[in-house]
Amino acid sequence: MSRLWSIGAIVTSAALLVGCASVYNVPVNVPISSIAGIDKEKLGFEDPAALDDSLVGLSFSGGGTRAAAFSFGVLQEMDQIPVRGTGTMLDRVDFISGVSGGSVTAAYFGLKKREGLSDFRERFLLRNAEEGLTTTLSLGTIGRAFSGGINDSVGFTKWLDANLYGGATFERFQANGRPRIWINASDIYNRVPFVFGATAFTAICSDLSRYPISSAVAASAAVPIAFAPAVVQAFPGTCTDPLPPWIAKAAANRNSSPMLGSYAKAIMRYRDGAVPYIKLMDGGLVDNYGISGFTIERESSDTPYGPLTPQQAVKVRRAMFLVVDSKAGISGDWVNTVEGPSGVALLAAAVDTTMDASVGANYSAFDRSMKDWQTSLIKWRCGLSGAERARYGARPGWNCKDLNFFIGRLGFDQLEPTRAKLLEAVPTRFQLPPQQVDEVIAAGRDTLRASPIFQAFARGL
């Protein structure tokens, strides 16, 4: 009874405090100044120099510093594996997608490339990225929580710029070449992924090149209650650049996949002005693997080879897509009693359940889409005429069936059970003890080294 009273008192206090102050974030995106300001790039596949005969994509899951450290370990290990004539495996990475904690690593590596491996541990993993933030729910903070979120994003973005990104905008990503970087958040109104890229920013007539990388990462990591939603403003009617034709087609097609149809409808609402302020939260709410963007790019293509060009589709021989998954294990002692969970534990359990359910479905859709793509590519390649093969750059002795896709996941559960259990128990925070940081980094290196999918791909090179 006393527990019920205390919860009731907190809720009552929150109701009284809600009207006192509203916590929200002010949009920092700006409208485009001209049509030339819109970046036409999709996944970076349009640049022939960005693809040799291999295609490598990584996605870094959410999970705070734990996720950032695990993905960092994977990148470190890739840099230890030589590839004949082209440096190391790290030089073969074409694109990286990041969510929440994983987006911190993805963004920093996208800016600094190999140089970022030398100081990311000291500049972020060993630091307290929560300094200046309030991270507990109490009588003193619940009013702000119910008024939008305990924290706005200003403090976190300033910390990220001071320690990692230095005020850089997406223009740096566009100029840096491969790997291409995608930061993923969740559009909590349309309930779809929001990828900070050309498609969404073209739809809202906004200049992606001037958007701060720190703001995108903060939106990707905006955990509900702890943070108020990040806000991106649409500027309908201020640009005339047409949306890609597939968007209207997918939105109207009742047979489109649920993921593709929902995303297309959201993009059309942005352009129509039906959603003037897009509210964004942690990317893990709808896709904690950050692979929806890849799936959408493939499913939206109206050719067997898209989003590759025909020349790239003829040239490629090996493709690898790895999900770097640092999700937590099952936790909580409330299953041992009749009552519970309650309060924060109940909210956490609900969010974790939603995220775990979505990642399974998203991974299955991604795996199916990639395998279907491989089949379609081989069929298209083998159906080319001699003239088409020559036009697209097929060399003498080219084998149309010489194409292999390697799809896999790297996770704590692939390690020895006792070690995996310890890693899964590492808190989802942006502050961890140095020993835990180093243990998670080592796990990233060991998991990649032991991966049969990765080993098979590396042998093929």
Side-chain angles (χ1 to χ4, degrees):
M1 188 67 178
S2 60
R3 176 179 297 179
L4 290 174
W5 184 90
S6 62
I7 294 174
I10 291 176
V11 171
T12 301
S13 299
L16 293 172
L17 291 169
V18 164
C20 297
S22 181
V23 183
Y24 62 93
N25 291 299
V26 176
V28 297
N29 64 304
V30 297
I32 56 172
S33 56
S34 68
I35 296 303
I38 297 180
D39 177 23
K40 306 294 184 181
E41 175 204 6
K42 291 176 76 179
L43 283 182
F45 294 144
E46 290 82 354
D47 178 9
L51 181 69
D52 33 46
D53 64 349
S54 66
L55 181 65
V56 178
L58 304 173
S59 66
F60 296 159
S61 80
T65 295
R66 182 186 66 214
F70 191 51
S71 54
F72 175 68
V74 169
L75 293 177
Q76 275 192 330
E77 185 61 24
M78 280 192 154
D79 200 33
Q80 298 301 310
I81 300 171
V83 176
R84 184 172 55 189
T86 58
T88 72
M89 189 67 71
L90 194 67
D91 299 303
R92 290 293 186 106
V93 178
D94 292 283
F95 51 87
I96 302 176
S97 179
V99 176
S100 194
S103 73
V104 180
T105 309
Y108 193 66
F109 182 70
L111 283 176
K112 306 275 285 193
K113 303 295 193 289
R114 178 176 281 104
E115 180 186 346
L117 299 183
S118 64
D119 62 2
F120 184 67
R121 176 179 177 272
E122 287 69 30
R123 296 189 68 169
F124 179 76
L125 298 177
L126 298 183
R127 298 288 304 276
N128 176 16
E130 297 178 9
E131 59 186 358
L133 301 177
T134 302
T135 58
T136 58
L137 185 64
S138 65
L139 276 174
T141 61
I142 198 167
R144 290 177 62 85
F146 274 73
S147 298
I150 298 175
N151 302 278
D152 58 27
S153 62
V154 175
F156 192 40
T157 54
K158 285 184 176 179
W159 191 97
L160 290 171
D161 275 327
N163 292 279
L164 290 176
Y165 308 130
T169 68
F170 274 77
E171 183 177 20
R172 287 278 299 278
F173 283 164
Q174 295 165 359
N176 273 3
R178 76 174 183 182
R180 299 296 181 181
I181 305 297
W182 295 273
I183 307 301
N184 302 266
S186 297
D187 173 349
I188 58 174
Y189 179 79
N190 290 292
R191 304 167 196 168
V192 295
F194 185 92
V195 182
F196 285 88
T199 299
F201 272 69
T202 298
I204 62 176
C205 300
S206 184
D207 190 345
L208 176 63
S209 68
R210 295 169 63 187
Y211 194 81
I213 292 171
S214 60
S215 295
V217 171
S220 180
V223 178
I225 302 298
F227 287 95
V231 183
V232 172
Q233 183 176 357
F235 303 98
T238 63
C239 67
T240 58
D241 201 58
L243 295 176
W246 69 263
I247 291 176
K249 182 179 177 181
N253 185 1
R254 295 179 180 178
N255 295 318
S256 294
S257 71
M259 180 186 300
L260 185 65
S262 297
Y263 183 78
K265 290 173 183 175
I267 293 296
M268 292 191 70
R269 293 187 190 109
Y270 299 162
R271 173 55 66 92
D272 294 342
V275 186
Y277 295 101
I278 304 163
K279 307 299 175 67
L280 305 176
M281 300 217 73
D282 194 310
L285 295 175
V286 294
D287 177 15
N288 202 40
Y289 283 170
I291 53 180
S292 295
F294 299 153
T295 307
I296 289 169
E297 287 291 341
R298 172 54 204 150
E299 291 187 352
S300 66
S301 300
D302 55 6
T303 66
Y305 50 81
L308 300 179
T309 65
Q311 291 79 6
Q312 293 165 338
V314 165
K315 189 176 184 180
V316 67
R317 296 176 58 245
R318 301 288 181 270
M320 179 178 68
F321 303 89
L322 289 178
V323 173
V324 183
D325 176 16
S326 59
K327 70 178 181 181
I330 295 174
S331 63
D333 58 2
W334 36 265
V335 294
N336 298 315
T337 61
V338 172
E339 65 272 14
S342 61
V344 175
L346 178 59
L347 175 63
V351 170
D352 290 343
T353 300
T354 302
M355 291 172 61
D356 279 5
S358 69
V359 296
N362 287 338
Y363 185 81
S364 296
F366 174 73
D367 184 64
R368 182 186 66 250
S369 181
M370 293 300 103
K371 289 176 179 176
D372 288 346
W373 188 24
Q374 178 182 1
T375 301
S376 297
L377 273 173
I378 291 175
K379 183 178 179 180
W380 174 80
R381 283 158 51 123
C382 292
L384 293 174
S385 66
E388 288 171 326
R389 292 184 183 189
R391 187 189 319 145
Y392 298 146
R395 297 181 178 182
W398 176 73
N399 180 0
C400 65
K401 296 183 179 180
D402 183 17
L403 176 66
N404 287 295
F405 277 25
F406 301 84
I407 315 298
R409 183 185 68 88
L410 306 177
F412 298 146
D413 57 327
Q414 295 165 359
L415 298 169
E416 187 271 326
T418 301
R419 184 182 183 189
K421 187 175 182 179
L422 290 173
L423 291 165
E424 290 174 346
V426 174
T428 307
R429 298 284 302 271
F430 277 120
Q431 177 189 14
L432 294 177
Q435 180 180 348
Q436 282 189 331
V437 168
D438 290 335
E439 288 171 350
V440 178
I441 293 173
R445 300 188 62 164
D446 293 345
T447 306
L448 179 70
R449 192 183 305 120
S451 168
I453 297 294
F454 179 75
Q455 291 174 353
F457 174 78
R459 284 195 299 268
L461 293 179

